[in-house]
Amino acid sequence: MTLTKTLIPKAKNGVGAFVFSCRKIEFNYCERSGSSYGMIKYLQNHLIPFAKINPQIEIVVTPRPSKHPIVTGTYMNLKQKQICVKNKNPDEIAEIVQLIRDNTGVSTKKRFKKPVISTTKSIRGANTSNISNDHPLWKLGHLNHVAIAVPNIDNAINFYKNILGVDQVSEAVPQPEHGVYTVFVNLGNTKIELLYPYGEKSPIQNFLEKNKNGGIHHICIEVNDVSNAVKDLLDKGIRPLDPEPKIGAHGNPVVFLHPKDCGGVLVELEQVNKKN
């Protein structure tokens, strides 16, 4: 079944007292791709109720053959926010659609260039809960490690341990949930993570096929709150490969940011809560 439709619900009195900046949401999917299964279920069961309670938003549904499903929001300032929802279930897609609807399409850094000071006293008092920079929701920390994909894990261990003389080189540890073996080379002020494929569907296999001798795969930077970091970065147009954090090799929540949004570099954010 092919879905191609534009829904423009009729506005009613009392609806839309709060005006959202989002003017249009477009849903693109592939009816033959397994990655669009959740999207198709969302369109069948969730889209009409969403359109009814959001009559101010134009809804467009268009096939996207042989490509992963995406949801794109267009705002009053003509800016767009696009999120890939491949392999997401309908409930996860519903949360992403809400996120797109509630977004303003404006970068918070660009909105407030100068402080606005009013000479009129307010009977409510000043509300500073959302404008203070003294206690941000998340902070960037140190460089945790540089990850290097290697075609031969034993040769790589030998190079760092016996040729360069690094004292702290771990054993190769399988990470089945991530499809890699990891070895950490501790340099004191930071670490090098050696990655070697685990299983036939390892995510670094394609990288090694293109880079026969191996090479830098990604960098990892510490944050104190990875969930808030993802929400904030999404508002600024930086896409995560998966918005849901996963547990990394150190046992901490991690998320990867799309290299196209990070200057061509795959960036991993790792939540590290350090005790004083």
Side-chain angles (χ1 to χ4, degrees), residues 59-74:
I59 305 297
V60 179
V61 181
T62 312
R64 190 172 184 248
S66 303
K67 293 184 178 180
H68 292 307
I70 58 173
V71 182
T72 306
T74 303

Side-chain angles (χ1 to χ4, degrees), residues 245-257:
K246 293 182 171 56
I247 300 302
H250 293 121
N252 297 325
V254 301
V255 69
F256 286 87
L257 305 180

Side-chain angles (χ1 to χ4, degrees), residues 9 16 29 43 46 59 102 104 108 139 141 154 157 162 174 195 201 215 218 229 233 246 274:
Y29 71 100
L43 297 176
H46 295 262
I59 305 297
D102 296 342
T104 63
T108 54
K139 283 186 177 181
D154 293 326
I157 291 174
N162 299 321
L195 301 175
K201 298 182 179 180
H218 69 268
L233 291 171
K246 293 182 171 56
K274 295 183 178 180

